[in-house]
């Protein structure tokens, strides 16, 4: 049994503005909000929740209301432990008795929480070749703190092709880009130190910043009609006024919006941060996934002394290949290599050998996948325009997902309703802080077209259910999809 507990302050912070007037009984809204936190991963499994009495006092509710919410969660399989016992988070092992049968029973769950592709067809062949080469590495101890030299050189060569002079000594191999960010946070960020990031952003990055004790400082991306790009002045001001230790930015196909920062804005950003103490960390996990317009690789070929780049093979090749890297000044790489011993002892040799094989293909495999992604992106937008015409779904220049704008702030409620339809979604607030983005929903286009079609059908049913449970807006203005 896990000994982990979710503190009262932590739970109420995650819940945010969970209650909406006219959206149903308080116990139903509370149970739905906690269920969403469990499904999103914001509450870990097998963790003890606060007691009914203390949660009721914190939320200004009666204990009966909280007891009813916990009871509903137990009935649906999201909590374990009988009344009077510690309530621990869980996931249902079968269909919920409260939900009527849906197409889930026939076709299975459609999961849109992960914007990733299945393994590239070349992955298996790369592992076969890596196994053939493994014996040459067995006489050594196998602990490569910075990573295999040939993999570091292969990564460095990729940067040189982009016009960024890079040596293998500027590369540290990690367990993916997320692991790379965690290493940097441990090295550079002290508890309470401000960390600036573009808002919305990659959810696990926010989690990592908070876990490191950093103080989250979000800078919103422009979000009005026809808006695009970044608030460069806002980013510079936030970094300088807060004395931020780090700025974590996804400039090349921001996750979840798919936006790419223009070269002119990058120049303004670097000029504005010149002389500051802020470490500029650029997550380039999606940099090679440009689908329309000029490639991000050319726009991102700028450098600065206090700039660090994170890379990964999880989005472009396969999520199961946990290979990422950090590109930084040699002195930073040496400090990271020395400090990682207390955190992990390096990346498995076999995976590194397979990564070398995949990186040395000259980009042919990825070039073959871009047309597939482009077709699926456009297919999903077309289906959404047909079934949900009042949703606004901008056409991203790249990346792996749409960032849909909903007509009303129903993202969390929609996610709960969709689960009952056999469709798993990541609600908009998962990509931000303080309950933001209830009018947004990330929709990956990485699944085959037939599955995307079925996902949109289920999404439409869920949207209608949520719509019947809410007061209709005074007027609905049709918005063209672009």
């Amino acid at each position: 049994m896990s000994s982990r507990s979710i503190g009262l302050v932590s739970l109420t912070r995650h819940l945010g503005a969970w209650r909406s007037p006219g959206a149903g009984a308080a116990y139903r809204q509370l149970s739905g909000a906690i269920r969403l936190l469990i499904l999103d991963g914001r509450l870990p499994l097998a963790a003890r929740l606060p007691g009914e009495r203390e949660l009721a006092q914190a939320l200004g509710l009666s204990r009966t209301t909280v007891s009813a919410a916990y009871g509903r969660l137990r009935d649906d399989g999201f909590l374990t432990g009988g009344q009077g016992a510690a309530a621990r988070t869980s996931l249902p092992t079968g269909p919920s008795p409260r939900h009527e049968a849906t197409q889930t029973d026939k076709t299975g769950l459609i999961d849109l929480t992960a914007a990733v592709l299945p393994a590239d067809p070349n992955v298996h062949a790369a592992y076969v070749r890596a196994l053939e080469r493994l014996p040459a590495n067995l006489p050594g101890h196998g602990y490569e703190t910075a990573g295999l030299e040939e993999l570091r050189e292969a990564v460095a060569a990729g940067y040189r092709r982009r016009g960024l002079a890079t040596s293998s000594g500027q590369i540290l191999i990690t367990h993916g880009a997320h692991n790379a960010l965690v290493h940097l946070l441990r090295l550079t960020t002290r508890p309470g130190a401000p960390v600036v990031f573009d808002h919305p952003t990659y959810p696990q990055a926010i989690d990592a910043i908070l876990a490191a004790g950093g103080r989250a400082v979000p800078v919103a991306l422009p979000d009005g009609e026809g808006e695009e790009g970044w608030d460069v002045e806002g980013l510079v001001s936030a970094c300088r006024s807060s004395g931020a230790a780090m700025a974590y930015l996804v400039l090349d196909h921001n996750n979840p919006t798919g936006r790419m920062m223009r070269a002119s804005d990058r120049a303004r950003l670097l000029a504005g941060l010149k002389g500051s103490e802020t470490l500029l960390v650029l997550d380039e996990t999606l940099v090679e996934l440009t689908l329309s317009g000029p490639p991000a690789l050319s726009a991102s070929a700028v450098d600065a002394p206090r700039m660090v780049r994170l890379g990964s093979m999880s989005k472009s090749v396969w999520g199961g290949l946990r290979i990422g890297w950090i590109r930084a000044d040699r002195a930073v790489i040496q400090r990271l290599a020395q400090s990682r011993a207390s955190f992990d002892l390096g990346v498995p040799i076999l995976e590194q050998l397979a990564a070398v094989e995949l990186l040395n293909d000259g980009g042919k495999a990825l070039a073959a996948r871009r047309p597939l992604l482009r077709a699926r992106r456009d297919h999903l937008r077309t289906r959404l325009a047909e079934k949900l015409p009042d949703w606004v779904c901008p056409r991203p220049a790249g990346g792996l997902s749409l960032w849909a704008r909903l007509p009303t702030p129903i993202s969390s409620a929609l996610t709960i309703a969709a689960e009952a339809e056999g469709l798993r979604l990541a609600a908009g607030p998962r990509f931000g802080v303080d309950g933001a983005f209830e009018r947004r929903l990330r929709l990956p286009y990485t699944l085959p077209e037939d599955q995307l079609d079925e996902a949109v059908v289920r999404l439409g049913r869920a949207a209608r259910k949520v719509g019947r449970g809410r007061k209709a807006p005074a007027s609905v203005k049709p918005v063209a999809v672009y």
Side-chain angles (χ1 to χ4, degrees):
M1 176 66 71
S2 169
S3 60
R4 183 167 184 179
S5 297
I6 303 299
L8 186 63
V9 173
S10 177
L11 179 57
T12 53
R13 176 173 59 82
H14 278 304
L15 284 170
W18 61 273
R19 193 171 183 180
S20 301
Y27 83 92
R28 289 179 180 270
Q29 292 190 59
L30 179 58
S31 66
I34 295 175
R35 178 189 305 169
L36 178 63
L37 294 176
I38 296 171
L39 290 172
D40 265 353
R42 283 177 277 179
L43 296 183
L45 296 179
R48 184 182 182 277
L49 293 186
E52 296 173 0
R53 188 186 302 278
E54 56 179 330
L55 183 59
Q57 291 175 346
L59 298 179
L61 301 171
S62 69
R63 182 175 179 180
T64 301
T65 299
V66 176
S67 178
Y70 275 18
R72 183 179 178 87
L73 289 165
R74 288 189 182 94
D75 290 345
D76 288 350
F78 289 93
L79 288 184
T80 60
Q83 192 167 8
R88 294 185 179 275
T89 56
S90 179
L91 285 176
T93 56
S96 167
R98 290 183 180 270
H99 300 314
E100 60 188 47
T102 68
Q103 290 187 10
T104 306
D105 301 325
K106 297 179 181 179
T107 61
L109 179 73
I110 297 177
D111 191 347
L112 291 184
T113 61
V116 292
L117 286 163
D120 182 285
N122 299 291
V123 170
H124 182 231
Y127 268 95
V128 171
R129 293 193 296 272
L131 277 170
E132 293 172 350
R133 297 178 54 206
L134 183 60
N137 291 270
L138 295 179
H141 52 61
Y143 293 105
E144 298 289 346
T145 308
L148 284 177
E149 173 64 25
E150 61 179 314
L151 177 55
R152 296 165 69 198
E153 173 54 32
V155 172
Y159 284 110
R160 292 196 294 269
R161 287 192 293 271
R162 291 167 54 181
L164 295 166
T166 307
S167 68
S168 61
Q170 291 177 262
I171 304 296
L172 180 85
I173 304 301
T174 63
H175 295 272
H178 179 259
N179 178 250
L181 175 61
V182 171
H183 277 304
L184 282 167
L185 287 166
R186 291 178 73 250
L187 183 68
T188 64
T189 305
R190 300 292 175 263
V195 178
V196 172
F197 55 91
D198 37 18
H199 197 224
T201 193
Y202 177 55
Q204 277 66 44
I206 299 175
D207 294 344
I209 291 167
L210 297 177
R215 177 164 59 86
V217 182
V219 176
L221 295 176
D223 195 34
E225 288 294 329
E227 291 281 10
E228 59 181 16
W230 270 254
D231 180 2
V232 175
E233 288 73 20
L235 287 171
V236 172
S237 176
C239 290
R240 288 195 171 276
S241 63
S242 69
M246 176 189 294
Y248 169 83
L249 304 177
V250 187
L251 304 184
D252 299 294
H253 311 311
N254 165 270
N255 184 1
T257 69
R259 297 184 189 184
M260 183 177 73
M261 181 180 276
R262 294 182 290 261
S264 58
D265 285 343
R266 293 171 200 259
R268 289 168 51 218
L269 177 64
L270 292 181
L273 292 179
K274 188 175 182 180
S276 78
E277 293 301 311
T278 301
L279 183 69
L280 183 57
V281 177
L282 303 183
D283 187 335
E284 297 183 328
T285 301
L286 296 164
V287 70
E288 295 184 291
L289 291 172
T290 300
L291 305 179
S292 304
L297 294 171
S298 57
S300 63
V302 293
D303 223 342
R306 291 189 59 75
M307 179 187 289
V308 174
R309 297 173 186 270
L310 311 182
S312 171
M313 302 181 75
S314 63
K315 300 294 187 181
S316 57
V317 180
W318 184 42
L321 182 64
R322 302 307 303 148
I323 293 290
W325 53 82
I326 300 172
R327 178 196 181 270
D329 180 85
R330 281 177 174 268
V332 174
I333 295 298
Q334 290 172 0
R335 289 173 60 198
L336 285 165
Q338 292 169 359
S339 69
R340 82 180 302 173
S342 63
F343 185 65
D344 68 54
L345 297 176
V347 179
I349 298 297
L350 182 62
E351 275 65 28
Q352 294 191 64
L353 291 172
V356 171
E357 298 289 336
L358 291 161
L359 287 174
N360 286 339
D361 81 334
K364 295 178 182 177
L366 188 55
R369 301 189 107 183
R370 291 193 190 97
L372 174 72
L373 284 171
R374 191 177 298 116
R376 291 180 179 178
R377 175 196 64 184
D378 296 342
H379 182 88
L380 178 58
R381 292 182 70 243
T382 299
R383 292 294 174 266
L384 288 167
E386 293 171 354
K387 300 293 185 182
L388 295 157
D390 55 344
W391 290 25
V392 179
C393 300
R395 185 173 182 259
L400 297 169
S401 59
L402 304 178
W403 186 232
R405 185 186 298 126
L406 313 182
T408 52
I410 59 170
S411 187
S412 295
L414 184 61
T415 299
I416 295 169
E419 185 79 16
E421 296 291 338
L423 177 64
R424 185 161 293 164
L425 302 169
R430 187 70 180 95
F431 299 86
V433 296
D434 299 328
F437 309 121
E438 274 292 354
R439 293 178 68 104
R440 289 288 191 168
L441 187 67
R442 190 188 75 162
L443 296 170
Y445 42 78
T446 50
L447 296 176
E449 280 86 345
D450 60 336
Q451 293 187 45
L452 292 176
D453 289 344
E454 179 60 25
V456 173
V457 170
R458 298 181 189 190
L459 188 58
R461 286 203 300 264
R464 288 191 292 273
K465 283 186 177 180
V466 173
R468 288 195 295 268
R470 293 181 60 91
K471 183 179 179 180
S475 62
V476 178
K477 180 182 177 182
V479 181
V481 177
Y482 57 91

